[in-house]
Amino acid sequence: MTTPGELQRRLGTVDAVIIGLGSMVGAGIFAALPAAAAAAGTGLLIGLAVAAVVAYCNATSSARLAARYPQSGGTYVYGRERLGEFWGYTAGWSFIVGKTASCAAMALTVGLYVWPQWAHAVAVAAVVALTAVNYAGIQKSALLTRIIVACVLAVLAAVVVIIADSGTADAARLTLGDDIGAGGVLQAAGLLFFAFAGYARIATLGEEVRDPAHTIPRAIPIALGITLVIYAVVAVAVLSVLGGSELASASAPLADAVAAAGAEQWRPMVRAGAAVAALGSLLALILGVSRTTLAMARDHHLPHWLAAVHPRFSVPHHAEVMVGIVVAVLAAVVDLRGAIGFSSFAVLVYYAIANAAAWTLGKRVIPALGLAGCLLLAFTLPPASTLTGAAVVLTGALLYRWRRDKRR
């Protein structure tokens, strides 16, 4: 039984894995590949491996912490409990601002694939619709995510098969160029990390998962492993027909790859699959941001009325509506690649704190690698993303100091 103000534990391992997949697959394949190719060309495959290693360390640390602290809020809770209130607040702030940018990026991705001329209007409509779905309850969100993930995986499989059967794929296009350096590869890894960060949604749903001490540590690595295999296969296929330079300039990379493979008739299917994938990612992102907002509001770091839980649907309805409003406003004005870079910086800060918190639990090799990897990738992102992200995180720290002094 739950008490007023608490969420209900309704999600099993499969639900948690599906929500994690819905968060990651849509973001990475359809939004981050061109930006990574612009940074490193075919070296993005190395960047993908680097991002996967850092993500694995972060996932392991997050799973250990989530098993001990099965509450909504993710690293906001872990940082608060293991490192102190300030670090918990900084993690929560970084997650909310970073993932709000991710929500806007995914909403705009929907718009660009569905109706490029009216991309921002479609993005706003998508945010409104998915906020309504989340408001109706976590079980409906999980069911919709299952359907979305199944559709997206079918489209990605079709893309790989079309390219493999076309005869236009050339392994020579995967060769690394002489102009690819470590800086470009690390920048690509930081941008691709944007795509892996979806497993955080599993941890932030800790208060709605059955038997979280077992479910969360199982669900996170399963979702991450499946996503890595999908990314690697699709990235190799797309590069084999487009090459690094053409991929870097693509606005719809998988649709362009299918057309280059001589299957222009399948382009609409791929565009539809991309839109569905981005919708799935957006759905899960809004879930995660609203749950972290709920946790911070409970501790009065955000307005306390955001901590309200709907008596019928058992969702943080005030937080979900507020997140939906903010994301809709951003979706009307954001630039896609800028949002990805900013989001990556803020989320890397979030996971750096998660690894620091996991360090205090013992078994410190993986947390140390994760912490170092997060900081390295954060400060090798494009300068504009690093500077903007650092400024916003610092603003959050100043707000914390101001509120603390005001309370005193």
Side-chain angles (χ1 to χ4, degrees), residues 41 72 92 114 141 144 150 153 191 208 227 235 243 277 308 312 333 367 404:
S72 287
V114 170
S141 300
L144 180 57
L153 292 180
L191 292 166
E208 295 161 274
T227 301
R312 176 184 173 189
V333 297
R404 187 188 66 178

Side-chain angles (χ1 to χ4, degrees), residues 97-158:
V97 298
K99 288 305 178 180
T100 299
S102 294
C103 289
M106 287 301 93
L108 187 55
T109 300
V110 175
L112 288 171
Y113 276 96
V114 170
W115 198 352
Q117 296 83 355
W118 293 90
H120 291 286
V122 174
V124 172
V127 172
V128 172
L130 292 187
T131 299
V133 170
N134 282 339
Y135 194 99
I138 186 67
Q139 286 181 314
K140 293 181 175 61
S141 300
L143 175 61
L144 180 57
T145 304
R146 282 174 182 258
I147 297 171
I148 290 173
V149 168
C151 293
V152 173
L153 292 180
V155 170
L156 293 178

